[in-house]
Amino acid sequence: MTGDGTRVVRAGLPEPAAYEPAMPGPVFAAHYHLPGEPVGPYTYGRDSNPTWTGLERAIGELEAPGADDVQTSVFPSGMGAVSAVLLSQARTGDAVVLPDDGYQALPLVRERLEAYGVEVRTAPTAGDAQIKHLDGAKLLWIESPSNPGLDVCDIRRLADAAHEAGALVAVDNTLATPLGQRPLELGADFSVASGTKALTGHGDLLLGYVSCRDRELAADVRLWRRTAGAIPGPMEAWLAHRSLATLQLRVDRQAANALALAGALRGRPEVTGLRHPGLPDDPAHTVAARQMRGGRFGCVVSFTLPDRERAERFLAALRLADDATSFGGVRSTAERRGRWGGDAVPEGFIRFSVGVEDAEDLVADVLRALDEAAAGQ
């Protein structure tokens, strides 16, 4: 299998068996029949589950196609996956390097790490700025494209520099998805993502995962999951696996729609700070075009309106986008990101997650909402 569409449709499925479903249903089990010594793939529900196995195999096939050594662990949320990597690797006295413009929950992780005696260094994503802070670090955490600012760094360059300095590298690949970017192939030790967003794409479940190719690192992550009890429900895992079949269709449509929306916004005088890595003149485009795959630059467009009031009038006027957080769903969403705090963005900053609606309808709705917001002054 070489095509992304073929791969996502078949990923993680068992070999065909007469009179069995092509994709087995979720397995609900706290315990399993276990005569004799506790050996075998399934012993207790906190350790393993056949439904997790199918999903983990599928994600691994997308993160590193053709690799026999990739191992994936799924978690009940993206932050569960993030925590598993950081807290399974960092010890008292270690130093980790985080982006200072990444996902807004990273400061919570920083507080926890520092409480455990871990030194946390931060730098922006753009310009590969984290490279200056690698000396003596145990782990480098990359988020590219960053959320919500959509800056991009050169993952391979940073990974090479980190490894030379003796540090491990983890990449948050949530926004790109494994169809848009393959961090393990770019030199990362861990590819981490929130499956809540574009990977599953329907806004109806929480999920996270960690993929890596080093057996010992994978064992560390699984031990953390087992110890913390950070396990997904089988129904969520099954729904996630089912959703993967449409991943290529969704991300391609969303990427095209996002580029169309970004292009339409370029001519609006009230819009400033427009960002989307697919725009040829975006500051991130050159690096993004080199390391992101197939013209898939993600579904998020960010921009700033003159003030908080204008942004809220714009959001209220939208008919085809819900005022909601998160991103990557088939239905467009948008929000004034500053309402949460924690992100260094202006009050009028909008994070727009583009769905799979018809591009013409979506663009028309956004332009109409901008007109209504302007008229409401």
Side-chain angles (χ1 to χ4, degrees), residues 18-90:
Y19 316 115
E20 295 292 331
M23 179 176 165
V27 175
F28 300 98
H31 60 264
Y32 304 86
H33 291 294
L34 193 63
E37 295 300 315
V39 295
Y42 306 110
T43 57
Y44 184 64
R46 194 179 74 250
D47 298 339
S48 55
N49 179 286
T51 311
W52 304 351
T53 299
L55 175 60
E56 290 169 345
R57 184 182 300 119
I59 293 172
E61 290 173 10
L62 303 183
E63 285 283 350
D68 296 329
D69 55 350
V70 65
Q71 298 187 52
T72 299
S73 299
V74 290
F75 291 84
S77 69
M79 283 307 297
V82 170
S83 299
V85 172
L86 289 168
L87 297 177
S88 70
Q89 299 304 312

Side-chain angles (χ1 to χ4, degrees), residues 346-365:
E347 284 294 315
F349 182 93
I350 300 292
R351 184 181 72 179
F352 201 111
S353 172
V354 181
V356 301
E357 300 89 353
D358 288 315
E360 296 82 0
D361 293 338
L362 186 61
V363 168
D365 187 54

